[in-house]
Amino acid sequence: MRRKLVAGNWKMHGNRASNAALLEALKASRALDAVDVALCAPYPYLGQLQDSLAGSGIAWGAQNLSQHAQGAYTGEVAGSMLADFGCRYVIVGHSERRALYGDTDAVVAEKFIAAQKAGLTPILCLGETLAEREANLTLEVVSRQIGAVLHVTGMAALARAVIAYEPVWAIGTGRTASSAQAQEVHGELRKQLADHDKRIAAEVRILYGGSVKRDNAAELFSMADVDGGLIGGASLVAEDFLAIVAAAAR
Ligand code: 13P
């Protein structure tokens, strides 16, 4: 039985004061016991999350990392630095990084490896654009994206990773994939992984992300292969995020 994971992706939002209020509200909740919960914050706030969340049962992480371990890479942040701040997770291959910052399939694979080398659990994001969905290329795109990682890491690495299916057209648009659309892709991904290793495929968590809200979370999380969510906008509002966590706990 896969334990559900609800991870917040704050993206480039927040400040010390708003973070503190949000963290206090989240820590006060009981809903957190039945599922795994994580928050992925901008780099400067990882120390704040570490101070606030240590011992709380809520894990924290970053939204990106360098593919390099150290060196002359001005402005970049290494996985070991994230580990130094107690991060458990790091998002790799988010569609915003792929679209805006040149994170190709190959770079994403390097970042995935760098994350695991630093002892972090990568949350590997996959997803098609609207044009790709309309051209019936959804499964082809997500297969290519996961294949690019598997090709260099091998299947065993997936036992220490989380996958997040995030259709690009559903991110920040209010347009959620239907539960059937999500299940179709999640089921197909798990089937493909099972061709490599049945046990690992059965155990790896596949999250759904893209306009998950308090009123659609329960339906999405009820699907057989949807093991929780990667939550953007709704993770910035304590009551909304907690309602989504509660939906995962049902
Ligand atoms: P929204 O929940 O705001 O659509 O964002 C989803 C996302 O990109 C999480 O990584």
Side-chain angles (χ1 to χ4, degrees), residues 18-70:
S18 67
N19 298 346
L22 183 52
L23 293 169
E24 287 313 311
L26 297 181
K27 282 195 292 183
S29 167
R30 295 252 180 107
L32 302 170
D33 296 342
V35 289
D36 290 342
V37 177
L39 301 172
C40 295
Y43 296 136
Y45 300 123
L46 294 175
Q48 184 183 19
L49 267 66
Q50 182 175 36
D51 291 344
S52 171
L53 297 178
S56 71
I58 303 177
W60 60 95
Q63 301 166 13
N64 181 40
L65 81 167
S66 171
Q67 64 271 49
H68 305 291
Q70 60 175 12

Side-chain angles (χ1 to χ4, degrees), residues 79-126:
S80 61
M81 298 170 184
L82 304 180
D84 214 9
F85 281 88
C87 289
R88 180 178 306 167
Y89 296 101
V90 61
I91 297 172
V92 298
H94 192 281
S95 65
E96 288 151 16
R97 303 247 18 128
R98 292 178 189 262
L100 302 172
Y101 299 102
D103 283 11
T104 60
D105 284 345
V107 168
V108 171
E110 288 181 41
K111 290 186 173 187
F112 183 104
I113 291 170
Q116 290 194 330
K117 271 196 182 144
L120 304 165
T121 299
I123 301 176
L124 171 65
C125 296
L126 316 169

Side-chain angles (χ1 to χ4, degrees), residues 7-9 11 91 94-96 125 164 166 170-174 209-213 230-235:
N9 174 7
K11 307 195 180 182
I91 297 172
H94 192 281
S95 65
E96 288 151 16
C125 296
E166 298 208 308
I171 294 176
T173 58
S211 296
V212 179
K213 305 292 176 202
L230 185 54
I231 319 299
S235 73

Side-chain angles (χ1 to χ4, degrees), residues 16 52-53 142 184 249:
R16 286 189 73 86
S52 171
L53 297 178
V142 297
E184 185 195 10

Side-chain angles (χ1 to χ4, degrees), residues 136-147:
N136 248 329
L137 292 173
T138 299
L139 297 179
E140 199 173 303
V141 169
V142 297
S143 299
R144 188 202 76 225
Q145 291 171 332
I146 189 119

